[in-house]
Amino acid sequence: MTATTRTARWTPEAIADLHGRTAFITGGNSGIGLETARVLAVHGARVILAGRNQDKLDEAVAEIRKVQPDARLDTAVVDLGSLASIRTATARVAETETIDLLFNNAGVMNVPERRTTSDGFELTFGTNHLGHFALTAGLMPALRRSRAARIVTVSAIAATWRSGRLADLMSERSYGAMTAYAKSKRANVAFTQELARRLTGTTVEAVVVHPGSAVTNLQRHSEGPLARAFVAIASRLLLGSPEGAAWPSLYAGTSPDVRSGQFIGPAGRDQTSGTPRPVALPDGAGDPAEGAFLWAESERLTGVRFDL
Ligand SMILES: NC(=O)c1ccc[n+]([C@@H]2O[C@H](COP(=O)([O-])OP(=O)(O)OC[C@H]3O[C@@H](n4cnc5c(N)ncnc54)[C@H](OP(=O)(O)O)[C@@H]3O)[C@@H](O)[C@H]2O)c1
């Protein structure tokens, strides 16, 4: 069977037994991250659900245990908007754990006004990209202990928007809620391209995905009760489920057909749902110059260095 036909027929049932493998998932308490955690746990993986609120993480663990009572689950409190929180969480994990699969999945979208993280970064870019940049660097010792590790970063189709070009990263000159989101999602792609280049020849691979679209808590920042009601109704009519939206992450994390550096998305013509497969990178996002620029800026802003 060729890689193409395997991809065409891929469903989560194709996932091999994952006993002995450990996955770390940011945003594991909600939406796509929770669904990713559930499916990996059902296939035998030990899953570390990472989130910023222990109560929400405990609820997520209870929810997964409803379908898989013997699921091997742990939690890690980490706020991606705080470099101190990331340092504390990753130091503990990096000391003892082996991580085979890292899902940089957490994210915020459509934050109405410019806000900042506790380190002063614009909130959307700071959480979605810089937080994951620092987290990935902190988890490298745990990833290197794996015989074959994969880092899956969850981007979005917004990465292809022209407004997402990587300039004014902190949105200091002008702020637009979805422009900040598009920049952060483009950064997820460019980060993965640069990481994959830097990881060449190691046992760690880096892949980026876009999940299509799904009704999750991501739409919660819409302004005002009317807008929120409109978004809630429109979302339910137009968007898919977190179950389907987790397929690109699950495929990217577990399929032997996936290669480092690939961008994985749904195959449907509307690009919102369907079997996951490699899709074209956003224009210029594979350019080494863009990757080098983003890497240098991320190091400068966070003070974090990768030990690859
Ligand atoms: N849903 C879609 O249609 C869609 C489309 C394209 C891309 N995506 C991407 O898919 C990923 C998952 O989103 P989702 O749709 O599943 O949304 P979601 O249900 O809102 O989940 C987002 C997760 O990120 C966590 N998070 C947010 N800020 C954080 C922080 N500072 N520190 C740690 N965790 C934080 C949230 O934690 P709390 O519960 O504590 O807030 C939540 O667990 C995101 O990267 C998003 O950009 C989603």
Side-chain angles (χ1 to χ4, degrees):
M1 188 186 280
T2 65
T4 316
T5 53
R6 269 205 298 272
T7 304
R9 290 180 192 157
W10 192 91
T11 70
E13 277 98 71
I15 297 173
D17 177 47
L18 295 173
H19 282 92
R21 308 279 283 164
T22 297
F24 187 105
I25 306 180
T26 67
N29 63 281
S30 178
I32 295 168
L34 175 57
E35 177 60 15
T36 305
R38 184 188 70 76
V39 175
L40 294 175
V42 165
H43 283 82
R46 172 174 165 248
V47 182
I48 303 173
L49 291 96
R52 53 185 162 174
N53 178 306
Q54 186 65 56
D55 290 342
K56 286 187 185 178
L57 290 169
D58 292 342
E59 279 169 33
V61 165
E63 198 159 315
I64 296 174
R65 290 232 160 89
K66 278 188 210 156
V67 290
Q68 192 68 25
D70 63 348
R72 297 193 317 129
L73 304 170
D74 286 300
T75 60
V77 173
V78 55
D79 179 354
L80 291 163
S82 159
L83 290 172
S85 167
I86 294 167
R87 261 194 309 273
T88 306
T90 56
R92 200 173 310 130
V93 174
E95 205 172 308
T96 51
E97 296 277 2
T98 299
I99 304 290
D100 303 289
L101 297 171
L102 166 61
F103 292 88
N104 286 329
N105 162 82
V108 290
M109 179 182 83
N110 208 13
V111 178
E113 281 156 14
R114 187 181 184 280
R115 286 169 48 195
T116 52
T117 67
S118 54
D119 301 293
F121 307 139
E122 185 282 313
L123 186 74
T124 305
F125 195 85
T127 306
N128 298 1
H129 168 63
L130 292 175
H132 283 123
F133 180 85
L135 181 97
T136 306
L139 292 179
M140 276 316 298
L143 288 156
R144 276 202 310 266
R145 265 180 222 119
S146 168
R147 62 185 152 74
R150 214 172 257 175
I151 299 161
V152 177
T153 298
V154 181
S155 177
I157 203 76
T160 63
W161 298 352
R162 282 171 64 85
S163 59
R165 67 188 180 282
L166 296 181
D168 189 21
L169 300 183
M170 294 296 101
S171 296
E172 286 159 324
R173 288 200 285 280
S174 70
Y175 178 77
M178 289 309 284
T179 299
Y181 182 68
K183 280 182 203 178
S184 75
K185 294 287 124 181
R186 170 119 188 169
N188 291 153
V189 179
F191 164 61
T192 300
Q193 297 311 301
E194 184 63 21
L195 185 59
R197 278 189 288 273
R198 290 177 183 235
L199 287 169
T200 303
T202 74
T203 51
V204 186
E205 297 180 322
V207 184
V208 61
V209 309
H210 84 80
S213 59
V215 182
T216 63
N217 287 321
L218 197 66
Q219 294 83 19
R220 70 182 173 282
H221 284 297
S222 306
E223 272 176 285
L226 265 179
R228 272 196 293 279
F230 173 77
V231 168
I233 294 165
S235 308
R236 272 166 184 75
L237 291 174
L238 299 174
L239 305 185
S241 67
E243 287 79 12
W247 284 24
S249 295
L250 290 163
Y251 175 71
T254 63
S255 171
D257 299 333
V258 170
R259 298 284 166 264
S260 199
Q262 279 182 331
F263 189 25
I264 304 291
R269 261 198 301 172
D270 56 359
Q271 297 200 358
T272 60
S273 60
T275 305
R277 51 132 203 206
V279 296
L281 286 170
D283 265 357
D287 180 355
E290 178 165 311
F293 164 74
L294 178 67
W295 198 274
E297 281 299 284
S298 305
E299 284 185 339
R300 184 182 67 76
L301 289 161
T302 62
V304 167
R305 300 275 180 281
F306 273 67
D307 180 8
L308 299 170

